[in-house]
Amino acid sequence: MKIFLDTANLESIKKFNDMGLLDGITTNPSLMSKEGGNPKNAMEEITKIIQGDVSLEVVSTEYSGMMDEGKRLREYGDNVVVKVPMTSDGLKACKSFSSQGIPVNVTLIFSANQALLAAKSGAKYVSPFIGRLDDIGQDGMNLIKEIKEIFSNYDFKTQILVASVRHPLHVIDSAKIGADVVTLPPGVLDKMLQHPLTKIGLDNFLADWEKLKQKNPDTKI
Ligand code: G3P
């Protein structure tokens, strides 16, 4: 399963990329807005740092505007995936971009039918938002199971990009189901790194080493 980071924060992107953990990045207008800086700079930097796919989202709601914006977004790099909303115009743009060999991520997917239609339109990725379904009392992970089954039945090449991930259990469940990608807020990836027993174990190793050094002051590794 590929791991994308769901952020426009350059510090987090560099941090996790230096650990070799990132296969790509997803952004959206809210994430860009959260950073507060000039989105142009962010898009330039992100597409330089990351070799893998970087989803940059259009803000037009009609087809011709999406096409113009998508073409401009692609100027940031060959690794740019044009992100369009799950609307009629979004699917029309998805079809046009895909026919030209430009990869598309269809976002704001909340049902298996929407995922099926986005796949038919040629999307490289569909982004089901599982956390937002959980928020309204629906089972987000069940949507991932349904989409996985449907895509497998018909051998669709479209990849399932699990989005709106809120905690590490979402990641384990996505991997068990066989989702292609999870896109993670930096905080979730941080939590995945940690375990209390790792910290306790390391503290004990270091304390024992200090004791040994008291008896052997010249010892070093
Ligand atoms: O990738 C989509 C994601 O950013 C949405 O997450 O937490 O705003 O539902 P959230």
Side-chain angles (χ1 to χ4, degrees), residues 23-36:
D23 299 298
I25 298 289
T26 51
T27 64
N28 62 39
S30 302
L31 293 172
M32 289 284 180
S33 175
K34 191 175 158 198
E35 295 311 312

Side-chain angles (χ1 to χ4, degrees), residues 31-45:
L31 293 172
M32 289 284 180
S33 175
K34 191 175 158 198
E35 295 311 312
N38 184 339
K40 187 172 184 297
N41 296 341
M43 293 191 280
E44 270 168 8
E45 284 298 311

Side-chain angles (χ1 to χ4, degrees), residues 6 26 28 31 83 107 129 131-132 135 163-166 183 185:
D6 194 27
T26 51
N28 62 39
L31 293 172
K83 200 172 182 188
T107 189
F129 278 29
R132 293 192 194 183
D135 288 346
S164 187
V165 169
R166 298 283 163 77
T183 189

Side-chain angles (χ1 to χ4, degrees), residues 112-143:
N113 275 332
Q114 288 180 319
L116 175 60
L117 298 181
K120 297 278 292 178
S121 290
K124 177 170 182 182
Y125 299 107
V126 287
S127 291
F129 278 29
I130 59 169
R132 293 192 194 183
L133 282 171
D134 290 352
D135 288 346
I136 60 159
Q138 292 183 21
D139 183 356
M141 203 46 69
N142 190 51
L143 174 59

Side-chain angles (χ1 to χ4, degrees), residues 4-17:
F4 289 1
L5 204 61
D6 194 27
T7 187
N9 182 277
L10 296 179
E11 206 180 309
S12 300
I13 291 171
K14 283 179 197 151
K15 172 182 156 183
F16 290 113
N17 193 48

Side-chain angles (χ1 to χ4, degrees), residues 131-214:
R132 293 192 194 183
L133 282 171
D134 290 352
D135 288 346
I136 60 159
Q138 292 183 21
D139 183 356
M141 203 46 69
N142 190 51
L143 174 59
I144 304 304
K145 282 187 201 142
E146 284 184 320
I147 299 172
K148 177 74 185 168
E149 186 180 346
I150 291 167
F151 284 9
S152 303
N153 283 347
Y154 299 101
D155 205 21
F156 279 117
K157 299 289 173 258
T158 302
Q159 296 179 43
I160 304 170
L161 194 167
V162 182
S164 187
V165 169
R166 298 283 163 77
H167 49 70
L169 207 50
H170 274 154
V171 183
I172 293 173
D173 287 340
S174 298
K176 282 184 182 165
I177 293 167
D180 302 282
V181 191
V182 283
T183 189
L184 306 179
V188 173
L189 194 43
D190 256 329
K191 283 188 189 135
M192 286 168 65
L193 272 169
Q194 295 162 24
H195 194 287
L197 290 180
T198 304
K199 182 169 174 1
I200 292 167
L202 184 58
D203 288 348
N204 287 339
F205 285 155
L206 296 179
D208 289 340
W209 186 254
E210 277 309 310
K211 277 187 235 159
L212 189 66
K213 264 179 63 180
Q214 303 287 325

